[in-house]
Amino acid sequence: MTKFSQAQSELTALLGDRLTLADGVRDVHGSDESWQPAVAPEAVAFPETTAEVAEIVKICSARGVPMIPYGIGSAVEGGIVATRGGLCIDLSGMHEIRAIHPEDLDAVVDAGVTHVALNERLEGSQLFFSVDPGAAATIGGMAATRASGSNAFRYGTMRENVLGLEVVLADGRVIHTSRRARKSAAGYDLTRLFVGSEGTLGIITAVTVRLHRVPEALSSAVCPFPDVAAAVKTVIQTIQAGIPLARMELLDEAALQAVNAYSGLDYAPAPTLFLEFQGTEQGVVEQSQRVARIAAEQGGTDFQWATDAAQRNKLWQARHDAYYAIIESRPGSRSVTTDVCVPISRLAECIAETRRDLQECSLPCPMLGHVGDGNFHVLFLVDPNRLEELAEAEHFNSRMVQRALDMEGTCSGEHGIGLGKREFLQQEHGAAWDVMRSIKATLDPQNVMNPGKVFAD
Amino acid sequence: MTKFSQAQSELTALLGDRLTLADGVRDVHGSDESWQPAVAPEAVAFPETTAEVAEIVKICSARGVPMIPYGIGSAVEGGIVATRGGLCIDLSGMHEIRAIHPEDLDAVVDAGVTHVALNERLEGSQLFFSVDPGAAATIGGMAATRASGSNAFRYGTMRENVLGLEVVLADGRVIHTSRRARKSAAGYDLTRLFVGSEGTLGIITAVTVRLHRVPEALSSAVCPFPDVAAAVKTVIQTIQAGIPLARMELLDEAALQAVNAYSGLDYAPAPTLFLEFQGTEQGVVEQSQRVARIAAEQGGTDFQWATDAAQRNKLWQARHDAYYAIIESRPGSRSVTTDVCVPISRLAECIAETRRDLQECSLPCPMLGHVGDGNFHVLFLVDPNRLEELAEAEHFNSRMVQRALDMEGTCSGEHGIGLGKREFLQQEHGAAWDVMRSIKATLDPQNVMNPGKVFAD
């Protein structure tokens, strides 16, 4: 009898048919967007309230059943794969927007509310929620993985945009990590301890997020460059000049070709910056003229404005869909997606060395990145049935992470650790990794909260 | 034989005359700017390197000697008072600016470097470090207390401006909490766990801080209002309108009179906003015209620009010195300084109720605040020898904190917990307070790191 089967009757009494052992449902919950082999949980629970989550956690903790919180499964490091079996807790049934406080520029949402749903609700209010990791992820999942995306350069990641959390701890206690005040010097910053903890310290059931005001004016531009180095130099000089761009995204030739094919566009197949300017009407004109001059000095002479809203939306939708576009460029493939982030001063060097290294790689490996943050990805497109391709991707991925660590960078800019980066985490943090493990052991002494993720046992 | 005396010979062998038991030195290190009764440590150590701090910590931990890290003693909640005896570790001898990275907009400094010293070094570079809590505090101390100040509205507190820390743990291990990349999703956010931990989890020996670019143009304004409510409404409407002010500071009549007297100024004795605009030349003109219109609608018709640099510096120096000005307004007094922060939507109500309540207070109690953040202070000026005055101040302080907590606020916006707010911390956080204590017990099982602070035993 497994630990889960001991808990099953109590869970059924609590949830009725919102606990399921159906194969189809379990299978869907056994894999994310990563290449990590799928492992289905033993069952899936669909709670609708924080109190239900707390009850589920108490039942599972009493039996030692592993618990895996689940948003929509869009992450890419295997964070929800049920390698130890146990119960998947799907929070999509918690989708209430609890409150919007326009004066305070914040909103309180259930963990299962997606950033898309929150922004739909905010339409017409002149406010928006800025973090957009690409997929239509839940805000709870985004908090758990410290999600980021192209808006982070200006507005920050989930680290900066979460004001407080409601969390169910391993013993079923419900805590609130912070009041709604904009700042506080009262005690340890539990909010940020749980942001990025990937379900290993507790289950996030609600999130208080910052909202931002929709800027008066927006404009976008696309600019191809003779090579990646020229594009990166443009980014660095733009930051140095203090020009407050909203987004600075780089796609290499291969990524751009995939985007062209997927989105029906005809950009020149060259390393290309996608830029967004925000501010006053005058401000965005001024900014873009300055950036156009900087780009031209680096050979980026074909600086094209996207002036009207339709054109601008098309451009950003194309960038937004780039991940899916790249995967579709090799039918049937999955992506081993790297995710390193280095100080911006090392970015050109890091990218150049990576590109030299990848000349030896036999796999398609387009590159794109949130270069304003020093964060970039390579998508190694592998046939998941060919182990030698996975091995080759892992080989180059490892070298890339090592290169980033050697340049004072991090093994993950925004995708998290999950199953895929556990060894790198230890290498990156050294003695601080032991501190992280001691905190895990304190808050989850039985190791039932998403066990095996972030830390290998 | 005290625990310290058992450690003394080893500490002397390590530090020579940089360990002192001289009364004068001990006394200076036994009190901060708070009203908390001074208690001198048994000795004061002056390490010069991280390795020395690690050795000191190992020696003290082995003997169970309490350790109190010390910057310049400018905090106001008794965080460095040696209530349990032990060794004060004065980090002012660690004052090297280890590196400035202009391309990455960051700097790495020893804990004993003051924000003033860092900004002096940055002169001419077009970069600055934004956090300024008023006193010429050390950056290590500012990180330990999650310091803030008038620039926080635009640039954030130490929470947002620390990229990474070097910390000596209770067992003498040295950890680095983060790489220098601008963002990371790699593991638990230890940086922000230690920011604001007030020396209770470890001793911060170095800090990597964000730098910001000096804005192209700066301008300032002063505007008196018929009452505090009108000033606060102006602040809220300005934020709502999305006008990106750099600073929004409120002084009430009493605070303004103290500032006038101290700084030789002649502002009208009324509730007054001090404002700062930053941006492009055009931008600051546009911003200030918009704010002037908003202020006029609230009766703030005497909106005065400070156009030239000398006038602007005089204005901000006066605001900067307000704390000292207020204390000097009652010779021989100390201040019991409240520090609450509420959601901005509750600020007008919170201030109004506080002012009604304070009509019954017999002490001078000027008010000032970083109102853009919802954060304000009342300085109760007490004769430290008159216990009944302290009791009265504490009475009104408690009521003010309670009021803020009832309005979803925090018991400390920027001053921290120290000795003065330990009970409020528990009330504010409930079950989350137990989580904080369990983290403390994990990282400092002997309770030797600044014991008795943040948590009462």
Side-chain angles (χ1 to χ4, degrees):
Chain A
M1 200 176 189
T2 68
K3 289 174 177 172
F4 170 73
S5 57
Q6 293 171 24
Q8 188 179 340
S9 62
E10 279 183 81
L11 289 169
T12 300
L14 177 70
L15 297 167
D17 60 5
R18 290 187 285 114
L19 180 81
T20 179
L21 280 71
D23 283 352
V25 179
R26 292 194 302 112
D27 286 347
V28 165
H29 288 79
S31 65
D32 59 6
E33 288 284 330
S34 73
W35 62 270
Q36 299 281 349
V39 184
E42 292 167 84
V44 183
F46 294 90
E48 292 177 349
T49 65
T50 301
E52 280 186 351
V53 175
E55 284 307 306
I56 292 168
V57 169
K58 282 179 198 165
I59 294 167
C60 289
S61 276
R63 305 290 188 174
V65 176
M67 288 165 272
I68 305 167
Y70 185 98
I72 62 158
S74 58
V76 295
E77 292 292 353
I80 55 84
V81 178
T83 48
R84 312 294 168 86
L87 180 68
C88 175
I89 301 173
D90 183 323
L91 294 150
S92 60
M94 291 185 64
H95 48 61
E96 193 192 336
I97 294 172
R98 297 187 185 181
I100 291 172
H101 302 109
E103 287 197 327
D104 299 318
L105 301 176
D106 71 48
V108 186
V109 300
D110 278 353
V113 172
T114 66
H115 65 91
V116 179
L118 177 58
N119 278 321
E120 281 171 5
R121 173 71 78 83
L122 290 168
E123 262 174 34
S125 72
Q126 293 301 312
L127 299 175
F128 75 109
F129 171 64
S130 63
V131 188
D132 178 357
T138 63
I139 291 173
M142 290 164 63
T145 54
R146 202 181 294 131
S148 180
S150 66
N151 282 323
F153 177 65
R154 177 153 186 161
Y155 295 102
T157 73
M158 289 300 276
R159 180 175 71 188
E160 287 80 21
N161 283 283
V162 174
L163 274 175
L165 297 167
E166 180 185 85
V167 181
V168 178
L169 299 177
D171 57 9
R173 277 178 300 168
V174 179
I175 64 167
H176 294 88
T177 59
S178 182
R179 297 299 182 103
R180 227 159 43 71
R182 300 290 277 183
K183 68 183 195 186
S184 172
Y188 304 157
D189 190 345
L190 297 185
T191 302
R192 264 140 290 267
L193 180 63
F194 283 96
V195 169
S197 63
E198 303 190 27
T200 62
L201 299 178
I203 297 176
I204 295 168
T205 48
V207 189
T208 304
V209 294
R210 285 180 189 254
L211 303 176
H212 299 277
R213 211 181 142 76
V214 173
E216 186 183 316
L218 272 174
S219 80
S220 299
V222 184
C223 186
F225 286 85
D227 52 45
V228 166
V232 171
K233 272 185 205 154
T234 299
V235 168
I236 291 177
Q237 288 179 18
T238 299
I239 295 171
Q240 286 294 301
I243 303 170
L245 260 72
R247 307 200 232 189
M248 287 196 266
E249 298 286 306
L250 173 67
L251 281 73
D252 75 357
E253 309 88 301
L256 201 81
Q257 283 168 336
V259 163
N260 275 343
Y262 185 84
S263 300
L265 297 167
D266 57 357
Y267 293 123
T272 298
L273 286 181
F274 284 45
L275 304 167
E276 186 172 81
F277 307 90
Q278 299 185 355
T280 60
E281 295 287 351
Q282 283 180 321
V284 298
V285 173
E286 208 178 292
Q287 284 174 38
S288 51
Q289 287 168 343
R290 290 176 68 189
V291 176
R293 281 196 295 274
I294 293 171
E297 284 169 23
Q298 298 297 335
T301 48
D302 188 19
F303 187 95
Q304 294 177 41
W305 278 76
T307 40
D308 67 64
Q311 204 181 350
R312 206 172 59 233
N313 289 342
K314 194 172 173 190
L315 186 161
W316 285 109
Q317 190 61 45
R319 168 61 192 89
H320 198 269
D321 294 339
Y323 178 78
Y324 304 104
I326 289 170
I327 289 181
E328 287 227 349
S329 72
R330 184 181 179 191
S333 70
R334 286 185 88 89
S335 170
V336 175
T337 308
T338 67
D339 167 38
V340 297
C341 187
V342 295
I344 193 92
S345 62
R346 309 299 295 272
L347 182 62
E349 182 187 0
C350 191
I351 290 180
E353 283 190 24
T354 298
R355 291 174 65 85
R356 266 198 298 280
D357 196 36
L358 293 180
Q359 284 171 0
E360 290 171 26
C361 182
S362 73
L363 302 164
C365 46
M367 196 192 78
L368 75 178
H370 313 303
V371 285
D373 295 317
N375 181 205
F376 68 100
H377 311 303
V378 173
L379 281 73
F380 295 96
L381 298 180
V382 300
D383 177 341
N385 300 314
R386 299 186 61 166
L387 290 178
E388 69 276 19
E389 291 196 8
L390 275 173
E392 185 177 357
E394 278 302 287
H395 168 74
F396 284 99
N397 184 13
S398 292
R399 290 167 63 94
M400 213 173 131
V401 172
Q402 193 59 57
R403 192 175 300 121
L405 292 177
D406 291 345
M407 293 182 182
E408 298 185 75
T410 176
C411 68
S412 177
E414 57 180 15
H415 293 164
I417 302 301
L419 293 168
K421 294 247 172 100
R422 295 176 297 181
E423 285 164 32
F424 299 126
L425 182 72
Q426 184 170 10
Q427 188 188 343
E428 176 170 333
H429 288 289
W433 179 83
D434 295 306
V435 174
M436 293 179 193
R437 284 220 310 174
S438 69
I439 291 169
K440 164 74 173 172
T442 301
L443 294 184
D444 179 24
Q446 286 195 91
N447 194 23
V448 287
M449 307 311 284
N450 210 4
K453 313 301 163 52
V454 181
F455 309 105
D457 296 335
Chain B
M1 199 175 189
T2 69
K3 288 173 176 175
F4 171 74
S5 59
Q6 293 171 27
Q8 188 179 341
S9 62
E10 278 183 81
L11 289 168
T12 300
L14 177 70
L15 297 168
D17 59 6
R18 289 186 287 113
L19 180 81
T20 179
L21 280 72
D23 283 351
V25 179
R26 293 193 302 112
D27 287 346
V28 166
H29 288 79
S31 65
D32 60 6
E33 287 285 328
S34 74
W35 62 269
Q36 299 280 350
V39 185
E42 293 166 85
V44 183
F46 294 90
E48 292 175 351
T49 64
T50 302
E52 280 186 352
V53 174
E55 284 307 306
I56 292 168
V57 169
K58 282 180 197 165
I59 293 167
C60 289
S61 277
R63 306 288 189 176
V65 176
M67 289 166 270
I68 305 167
Y70 184 98
I72 63 159
S74 59
V76 295
E77 292 291 353
I80 55 84
V81 178
T83 47
R84 311 295 167 85
L87 180 68
C88 175
I89 301 174
D90 183 323
L91 294 150
S92 60
M94 291 184 64
H95 49 60
E96 193 194 335
I97 294 173
R98 296 187 185 180
I100 292 172
H101 303 108
E103 287 197 328
D104 299 318
L105 301 175
D106 72 48
V108 186
V109 301
D110 279 353
V113 172
T114 66
H115 65 92
V116 179
L118 177 57
N119 278 320
E120 281 172 3
R121 173 70 78 81
L122 290 168
E123 261 174 35
S125 73
Q126 292 301 311
L127 299 175
F128 76 109
F129 172 64
S130 63
V131 189
D132 178 357
T138 63
I139 291 172
M142 290 164 63
T145 55
R146 203 181 294 133
S148 181
S150 66
N151 282 323
F153 177 65
R154 177 156 186 157
Y155 295 102
T157 72
M158 289 301 275
R159 180 175 72 188
E160 287 79 23
N161 283 284
V162 174
L163 273 175
L165 297 168
E166 180 184 85
V167 181
V168 178
L169 299 177
D171 57 10
R173 277 178 300 168
V174 178
I175 64 167
H176 294 88
T177 59
S178 182
R179 298 299 181 103
R180 224 158 46 69
R182 300 291 275 183
K183 69 184 195 186
S184 172
Y188 304 156
D189 190 345
L190 297 185
T191 302
R192 265 141 289 267
L193 180 63
F194 283 96
V195 169
S197 62
E198 304 190 27
T200 62
L201 299 178
I203 298 176
I204 294 168
T205 48
V207 189
T208 304
V209 293
R210 285 179 188 253
L211 304 176
H212 299 276
R213 210 180 143 79
V214 174
E216 187 184 316
L218 272 176
S219 80
S220 300
V222 183
C223 185
F225 286 84
D227 52 46
V228 166
V232 171
K233 273 186 204 154
T234 299
V235 168
I236 292 177
Q237 288 178 18
T238 298
I239 294 171
Q240 286 295 301
I243 303 171
L245 259 71
R247 308 200 232 189
M248 287 196 267
E249 299 286 308
L250 172 67
L251 281 74
D252 76 357
E253 310 86 303
L256 201 82
Q257 282 167 336
V259 163
N260 274 343
Y262 185 85
S263 299
L265 297 167
D266 57 358
Y267 293 122
T272 298
L273 286 181
F274 285 45
L275 304 167
E276 187 172 80
F277 307 90
Q278 298 185 356
T280 60
E281 295 288 352
Q282 282 180 320
V284 298
V285 173
E286 207 180 293
Q287 284 174 40
S288 51
Q289 287 169 344
R290 291 176 68 188
V291 176
R293 281 196 295 273
I294 293 171
E297 284 168 21
Q298 298 298 334
T301 48
D302 188 20
F303 187 94
Q304 294 176 40
W305 278 77
T307 39
D308 68 64
Q311 206 182 348
R312 206 171 59 233
N313 289 341
K314 194 173 174 190
L315 186 160
W316 285 107
Q317 190 62 45
R319 168 62 191 89
H320 198 270
D321 294 339
Y323 178 79
Y324 304 104
I326 289 170
I327 289 181
E328 287 227 350
S329 72
R330 184 181 180 190
S333 70
R334 287 185 86 88
S335 171
V336 175
T337 309
T338 68
D339 167 37
V340 297
C341 187
V342 295
I344 193 95
S345 62
R346 309 300 295 272
L347 182 62
E349 181 187 359
C350 190
I351 290 180
E353 283 191 23
T354 298
R355 289 174 65 86
R356 266 197 299 278
D357 196 36
L358 292 180
Q359 285 171 0
E360 289 170 28
C361 181
S362 73
L363 302 164
C365 45
M367 197 194 75
L368 76 177
H370 314 302
V371 285
D373 295 317
N375 181 206
F376 67 100
H377 313 301
V378 172
L379 282 72
F380 296 95
L381 298 180
V382 300
D383 177 340
N385 300 315
R386 298 187 61 168
L387 290 179
E388 69 277 19
E389 291 195 8
L390 275 173
E392 185 176 359
E394 278 303 286
H395 169 74
F396 284 98
N397 184 15
S398 291
R399 291 167 63 93
M400 214 173 131
V401 172
Q402 193 60 57
R403 192 174 302 120
L405 292 178
D406 292 344
M407 294 184 183
E408 298 186 77
T410 176
C411 69
S412 177
E414 56 180 14
H415 293 164
I417 302 301
L419 293 169
K421 293 245 172 104
R422 295 176 297 181
E423 284 163 34
F424 299 125
L425 183 72
Q426 183 170 10
Q427 188 188 346
E428 176 171 333
H429 289 289
W433 179 83
D434 295 306
V435 174
M436 293 179 192
R437 284 219 311 174
S438 69
I439 291 170
K440 163 75 173 173
T442 301
L443 295 185
D444 180 23
Q446 286 194 90
N447 194 22
V448 287
M449 307 310 283
N450 210 4
K453 313 300 163 52
V454 181
F455 309 105
D457 296 336

